[in-house]
Amino acid sequence: MFTMSLNKNQGSRTVVEPVALGSQTLSDTELSSLTLTHSGEQYAANDYETLANIEAELECMNAEEVMTTEEENSTIIEVNNENDALLSDVVLTDGQQQEVQTEQIIYTTANQSSQNLILQTKPTLQRVPSTTSVQIKPNVSHTQSQSIMIVSPAAGGGASQILKISHPASASANQLQSLAQSLITGKSPDGNIVQIRSTPSNKQNIAAKTSGNITLGNVQNVKTVQSVSGKRTSHNVQQNRNVYTKMILTNTQPQTGQQVLIASSPENQQGQTIKFLSSGSSNLNMNSPTKTITFAQAQQMGLLPSNKVQHILPSSQKQTGIIVNKLVQSTSAQPAKLTIVPNSAVKSPTKILPAPATGSTKSGNSQTGSLSSTSKVMHQNPQKVIIRQSSLKSGVVHNNNPIIRIPANQTIGTNQVHQLQVPGRQVQYVRLVSTPSSGTSNVVTVGKTKTPTALQTVGVTQKISGQQQIVKVVPLNTGSQTLRTVAPKSALSGNSQRLIIPATTQIGNQSKNNTVTIPASALSQLTSGQAVISTNSNVGNIVVLPAQYLQQQTDDSKHKSQQSTPTLLNNSQGLIGNSSSLSESKMSRSFNNSETNGIRPRKPCNCTKSQCLKLYCDCFANGEFCHMCNCNNCSNNLGNEEERQRAIKSCLERNPNAFRPKIGKGRDTGEDIRRHNKGCNCKRSGCLKNYCECYEAKIPCSENCKCVGCRNVEESTLHKKSLKDLAEAVEVRTAQLSLNKVKMQQMSDATFRPPAISNTGARQPFNFLTDKVVEMTCQCLMAQAEEAERNMFDDETSEKLIIEEFGRCLKEIIESAHKAEAT
DNA sequence: GAGTTTGAAACT
DNA sequence: CAGTTTCAAACTC
């Protein structure tokens, strides 16, 4: 495992920690001797430097997608808060999110056969990234190839570069760094391979000077290199063979139908990042991209801010799809696993929606991606990627959207994999499709389970390539678990295997096997005849499912879920989410347990007429597929994807922000107060019942609201408002009384009218309640209210004073009446 | 659990 | 954009 630390707060300062690569410790000087080879050719590191000198300015690929300063936080890396041990190896010190240059680093953990290191830097407000120094410490022994992946936004361009470097197991940290510095090859928007050289001024000195450090920040100098045949750029580092250097530069234009992995944060999108990694090296089994939603699609769906998305195109054009977070896989065919470690303090719900039907989705042979929102460090064969989300303010609930990362697995044929992330939403879904021809594909979904549950295993049988594979489904929960096999719901015809997996779930204890974790919400897919495909060819295919799913499976499929809901809640994986979303808040109320455990954060819907394809349906509104709901005629599932896509499109046409969280931060003041973006419109509930979305979200009504008689105000404002409300109420009441009086008078005129003068000839008291008297009375009450406000009296005292004033007014009226009568 | 109330979403 | 209708959740009994 590599360990690196990044200190954002102090600009470029590099935090270096002792690193051990595998069992070996490499000296800094080893770096200089490192050479790169490509296709049998050997290149010295300097050669690549020379290549890097080919200057061509690569326009910022995502020029239009520059981060806006409006967003304060970026959500790029998810951090697993459960596994501190895991994080211990990964040291990421990012300080304030809103700081100038924030960079995030993602790196993978090494496994036996390969080590992967992913470094990710995050673009921030400033266009010129500061230098980021990363120190890498390999401390895990390994056998074969190792890779380093560096993802960093281009300076100011918003484009992300991904550098993948495969290196020999024996490579030292310095060597790795040197590789990273020496050559970065990417793909420009026009399809050219580009090389990016960091800090050109110190090319030769980089290795020595920055020994132990990788500078990612200055990617400003992008060099375009002529397209390599096959547009693949990979280099073997000759030093111990098995070393590859690969750099992939993100491209914002998914022109060729390539799909883009999208990660976005709903509210605070500042640092949203989309990463796509594709295997460029033939030596690496990364040929197949995983299809994801296109960028435009994501934007269309409102899931992805247009100015904050970055994509990385696969280096190979053959690949029609983009592999997201695809790790370099060694030829050992070991399954790659992606682990997303959610930021500890902040849970960011993420949703993945199927791409709109209109979006072109090419699919080709690709490896299915694996998505995991959380995972523990695995020491097993599967490669792992740990993605850590930084930049979220810890302890503060945000609307920040988590990032969806999908490790590449094989997906073959026309199957499509769509990923969408809905900001502020609680559940991430990944649909993985693999064709039978592909043999195996790893589908990894991560569900996070905090509460240990009994281990249950479900076996899903499916035929792939005429061969029946069994997928073992085990509960996410860690701890000793017993597996049991459950008969698959239905045999799947080979080509259309689908899995929808909530990204928020986390991989539980997968250390022992190649396991796939499937959140409960994804189970519905299985029940509908869809199967989870295990991609691991050589290892037992294991799919981890929530325990409750097993129950569901064993039960009649008709049972829709209210039964299972409680169980689900208990075992449910924690939502990584943004507490700011309305849905989340709903969830928190209704499913407190699930909030943290959360597989199924929300209540099942009960839609009957909307087919769950309108925003009436909470599931749909949250970008989730219905699962274990009580709805009738539900079309919010993969089986009706086209229809669903149309519905999504329709909703977005009506409201481009339809799928964005309703609750966000107040922007005016910058205060960290959640508020309803649209505001409520309550009239009768006083905003004190759950009918009110503000109240439901446990936030006070704001100026955005158009509610009437609102009582859902902040404590501080309650006092003032109560007085004003009281005065207003008096005024309204007075007006009503006046109106009633008029009406009464009219009625009296028509029917019964008490004599204005009593039998004694005296004037009746009510005749003294003229409009002027009422008005004067109201003025007195208002004056009293204002005075009480000035005096800062508490509500009770103020009300008392006003009432007393009212009594005094009445008394005066009566006295006046008596006087008039007397005269 | 049926019926009512409520307000957002959808529709006109 | 306002008014009305539809819808599903919240609420009441």
Side-chain angles (χ1 to χ4, degrees):
Chain A
M1 177 179 290
F2 295 92
T3 298
M4 64 183 166
S5 63
L6 172 63
N7 188 339
K8 296 178 186 176
N9 291 338
Q10 296 179 359
S12 303
R13 190 172 75 83
T14 299
V15 175
V16 175
E17 294 178 355
V19 176
L21 177 60
S23 61
Q24 295 174 342
T25 299
L26 297 177
S27 64
D28 293 341
T29 58
E30 290 176 347
L31 176 65
S32 61
S33 63
L34 183 62
T35 60
L36 299 175
T37 62
H38 178 266
S39 299
E41 293 175 342
Q42 288 183 349
Y43 296 95
N46 292 333
D47 292 335
Y48 290 99
E49 289 291 331
T50 300
L51 290 175
N53 289 330
I54 299 169
E55 300 253 323
E57 205 166 309
L58 178 65
E59 33 172 85
C60 296
M61 289 178 280
N62 290 329
E64 73 282 7
E65 294 175 355
V66 175
M67 297 291 178
T68 61
T69 58
E70 181 178 356
E71 301 296 334
E72 294 177 355
N73 293 327
S74 65
T75 300
I76 293 173
I77 297 171
E78 292 179 356
V79 176
N80 183 351
N81 47 2
E82 283 184 349
N83 296 323
D84 292 338
L86 199 160
L87 293 176
S88 63
D89 290 339
V90 175
V91 176
L92 178 62
T93 59
D94 48 337
Q96 298 129 355
Q97 303 85 354
Q98 53 274 72
E99 283 307 321
V100 191
Q101 175 64 32
T102 23
E103 292 181 351
Q104 295 174 343
I105 294 171
I106 296 169
Y107 63 93
T108 62
T109 61
N111 52 37
Q112 294 173 347
S113 63
S114 65
Q115 291 180 346
N116 292 328
L117 173 60
I118 296 172
L119 302 178
Q120 180 176 1
T121 62
K122 182 185 73 170
T124 59
L125 299 177
Q126 290 183 350
R127 295 193 167 235
V128 177
S130 61
T131 299
T132 299
S133 296
V134 174
Q135 189 168 20
I136 300 167
K137 293 179 181 181
N139 56 4
V140 176
S141 64
H142 49 292
T143 58
Q144 293 182 351
S145 65
Q146 296 173 347
S147 64
I148 296 172
M149 297 170 70
I150 297 170
V151 177
S152 69
S160 297
Q161 299 92 17
I162 294 171
L163 173 62
K164 281 181 166 184
I165 299 170
S166 295
H167 57 83
S170 62
S172 66
N174 291 331
Q175 288 175 336
L176 295 176
Q177 292 175 349
S178 175
L179 288 174
Q181 292 175 346
S182 63
L183 178 62
I184 295 171
T185 301
K187 187 175 182 178
S188 65
D190 58 357
N192 291 327
I193 299 299
V194 297
Q195 289 180 340
I196 298 169
R197 182 169 58 86
S198 62
T199 57
S201 62
N202 292 330
K203 290 186 281 184
Q204 294 297 328
N205 292 332
I206 291 169
K209 182 177 181 179
T210 61
S211 63
N213 294 331
I214 294 171
T215 299
L216 297 176
N218 295 330
V219 192
Q220 295 174 348
N221 292 330
V222 175
K223 309 206 172 163
T224 300
V225 177
Q226 291 178 347
S227 298
V228 177
S229 64
K231 291 182 178 179
R232 180 173 296 178
T233 301
S234 64
H235 300 283
N236 289 334
V237 174
Q238 188 60 35
Q239 194 180 18
N240 283 327
R241 291 115 204 76
N242 290 348
V243 174
Y244 302 95
T245 298
K246 181 188 278 186
M247 177 64 149
I248 297 168
L249 191 61
T250 62
N251 184 353
T252 58
Q253 298 172 348
Q255 307 160 344
T256 60
Q258 293 175 344
Q259 281 123 20
V260 176
L261 176 61
I262 296 166
S264 67
S265 60
E267 292 297 323
N268 297 325
Q269 295 133 341
Q270 179 177 355
Q272 293 176 346
T273 300
I274 293 170
K275 295 181 289 184
F276 294 94
L277 295 178
S278 66
S279 65
S281 173
S282 62
N283 291 332
L284 298 177
N285 289 333
M286 294 180 67
N287 293 335
S288 18
T290 296
K291 184 173 184 177
T292 61
I293 186 171
T294 62
F295 195 32
Q297 290 172 343
Q299 291 178 346
Q300 180 180 6
M301 296 180 74
L303 299 177
L304 183 65
S306 63
N307 57 352
K308 294 175 182 177
V309 176
Q310 296 173 349
H311 354 194
I312 295 168
L313 294 176
S315 61
S316 173
Q317 287 181 341
K318 291 178 182 179
Q319 296 173 347
T320 58
I322 293 171
I323 296 169
V324 175
N325 288 334
K326 184 175 182 178
L327 295 179
V328 175
Q329 289 180 340
S330 63
T331 57
S332 62
Q334 290 177 347
K337 289 182 180 179
L338 173 61
T339 299
I340 297 170
V341 180
N343 203 347
S344 60
V346 177
K347 293 178 180 178
S348 55
T350 301
K351 296 174 183 177
I352 297 170
L353 296 175
T358 59
S360 64
T361 58
K362 288 181 181 179
S363 65
N365 292 335
S366 64
Q367 293 176 343
T368 60
S370 62
L371 173 62
S372 64
S373 61
T374 301
S375 70
K376 293 178 180 179
V377 174
M378 294 178 177
H379 300 288
Q380 305 306 331
N381 292 331
Q383 294 175 344
K384 299 169 190 171
V385 175
I386 296 170
I387 297 169
R388 179 177 183 172
Q389 183 173 6
S390 63
S391 78
L392 292 178
K393 291 180 181 179
S394 62
V396 176
V397 174
H398 293 279
N399 290 331
N400 291 341
N401 291 327
I403 293 169
I404 296 170
R405 300 211 178 16
I406 299 168
N409 287 337
Q410 279 186 334
T411 299
I412 293 172
T414 60
N415 292 332
Q416 296 175 349
V417 175
H418 297 284
Q419 289 180 342
L420 289 180
Q421 181 174 4
V422 176
R425 303 300 166 91
Q426 308 237 336
V427 176
Q428 295 174 345
Y429 290 105
V430 174
R431 179 167 70 98
L432 299 178
V433 176
S434 66
T435 60
S437 64
S438 63
T440 61
S441 63
N442 289 331
V443 175
V444 176
T445 301
V446 177
K448 178 179 178 181
T449 301
K450 287 183 179 179
T451 60
T453 60
L455 180 60
Q456 293 174 343
T457 301
V458 175
V460 175
T461 312
Q462 65 186 38
K463 282 188 176 182
I464 295 173
S465 298
Q467 193 173 11
Q468 215 174 19
Q469 290 180 345
I470 294 172
V471 176
K472 293 179 182 178
V473 177
V474 291
L476 294 175
N477 295 335
T478 62
S480 63
Q481 295 174 345
T482 0
L483 297 178
R484 80 185 157 142
T485 299
V486 175
K489 196 84 176 171
S490 65
L492 295 178
S493 64
N495 289 336
S496 62
Q497 295 169 347
R498 292 178 182 177
L499 171 62
I500 295 173
I501 300 167
T504 56
T505 57
Q506 293 176 348
I507 294 170
N509 214 354
Q510 295 174 345
S511 61
K512 293 180 180 178
N513 290 324
N514 291 329
T515 60
V516 175
T517 299
I518 299 169
S521 60
L523 296 178
S524 61
Q525 301 302 322
L526 294 175
T527 57
S528 63
Q530 293 172 341
V532 174
I533 297 169
S534 170
T535 58
N536 294 335
S537 63
N538 58 353
V539 180
N541 294 326
I542 295 171
V543 175
V544 177
L545 295 178
Q548 57 274 20
Y549 171 65
L550 297 177
Q551 294 174 350
Q552 182 181 4
Q553 289 293 321
T554 57
D555 292 340
D556 184 351
S557 61
K558 292 178 182 177
H559 287 122
K560 278 182 166 190
S561 79
Q562 275 187 338
Q563 301 170 326
S564 62
T565 299
T567 302
L568 182 64
L569 294 177
N570 291 334
N571 293 335
S572 62
Q573 298 171 344
L575 297 180
I576 296 175
N578 207 343
S579 55
S580 58
S581 67
L582 177 62
S583 62
E584 185 176 15
S585 63
K586 289 180 180 178
M587 248 176 52
S588 62
R589 276 193 301 281
S590 301
F591 298 85
N592 289 333
N593 291 335
S594 65
E595 176 80 17
T596 56
N597 292 335
I599 293 172
R600 168 105 186 150
R602 197 175 336 97
K603 281 184 176 181
C605 71
N606 298 301
C607 306
T608 58
K609 296 180 179 179
S610 66
Q611 292 183 298
C612 299
L613 291 180
K614 293 191 175 180
L615 294 177
Y616 298 127
C617 177
D618 273 358
C619 300
F620 180 78
N622 287 300
E624 298 177 10
F625 292 102
C626 285
H627 172 252
M628 297 171 71
C629 294
N630 300 315
C631 43
N632 294 329
N633 194 22
C634 179
S635 296
N636 185 25
N637 50 45
L638 287 177
N640 297 279
E641 186 168 346
E642 287 188 8
E643 193 175 358
R644 184 173 183 267
Q645 301 295 346
R646 284 194 295 270
I648 292 170
K649 185 178 179 181
S650 177
C651 288
L652 290 174
E653 286 175 353
R654 283 191 295 267
N655 179 14
N657 296 322
F659 294 98
R660 290 182 178 277
K662 292 179 179 178
I663 306 299
K665 268 187 180 179
R667 294 181 179 179
D668 297 341
T669 60
E671 52 190 349
D672 191 15
I673 297 174
R674 292 190 304 140
R675 66 178 58 190
H676 198 291
N677 292 327
K678 185 178 178 181
C680 69
N681 196 29
C682 305
K683 292 178 175 61
R684 303 176 70 89
S685 66
C687 300
L688 291 179
K689 292 189 176 181
N690 283 336
Y691 298 125
C692 175
E693 290 190 349
C694 297
Y695 179 82
E696 189 178 21
K698 299 191 187 307
I699 57 175
C701 290
S702 65
E703 63 271 18
N704 295 333
C705 299
K706 294 175 283 292
C707 44
V708 176
C710 180
R711 301 283 295 173
N712 182 27
V713 294
E714 287 183 281
E715 190 81 14
S716 60
T717 60
L718 184 62
H719 178 254
K720 292 181 179 179
K721 194 165 186 178
S722 63
L723 294 177
K724 289 185 177 180
D725 286 345
L726 183 59
E728 290 174 359
V730 170
E731 194 170 11
V732 170
R733 179 62 179 161
T734 302
Q736 290 177 342
L737 290 174
S738 298
L739 183 61
N740 291 336
K741 181 182 174 184
V742 173
K743 290 182 179 178
M744 288 290 292
Q745 196 141 9
Q746 292 174 348
M747 291 176 65
S748 299
D749 293 340
T751 59
F752 164 76
R753 178 173 185 171
I757 298 173
S758 65
N759 294 331
T760 61
R763 190 178 176 190
Q764 296 283 32
F766 67 83
N767 284 321
F768 292 93
L769 292 175
T770 62
D771 291 342
K772 187 158 188 175
V773 171
V774 172
E775 182 179 354
M776 292 298 292
T777 301
C778 289
Q779 288 178 355
C780 292
L781 297 179
M782 288 289 292
Q784 184 63 56
E786 291 174 356
E787 182 179 357
E789 185 175 351
R790 282 194 302 271
N791 293 330
M792 302 293 290
F793 291 150
D794 58 20
D795 294 350
E796 187 176 359
T797 302
S798 300
E799 292 176 1
K800 182 180 178 182
L801 292 174
I802 293 169
I803 293 171
E804 288 176 351
E805 176 66 15
F806 183 66
R808 191 184 63 79
C809 291
L810 282 178
K811 187 178 179 181
E812 286 187 4
I813 293 169
I814 294 170
E815 288 177 351
S816 297
H818 287 310
K819 288 179 182 178
E821 185 177 358
T823 58

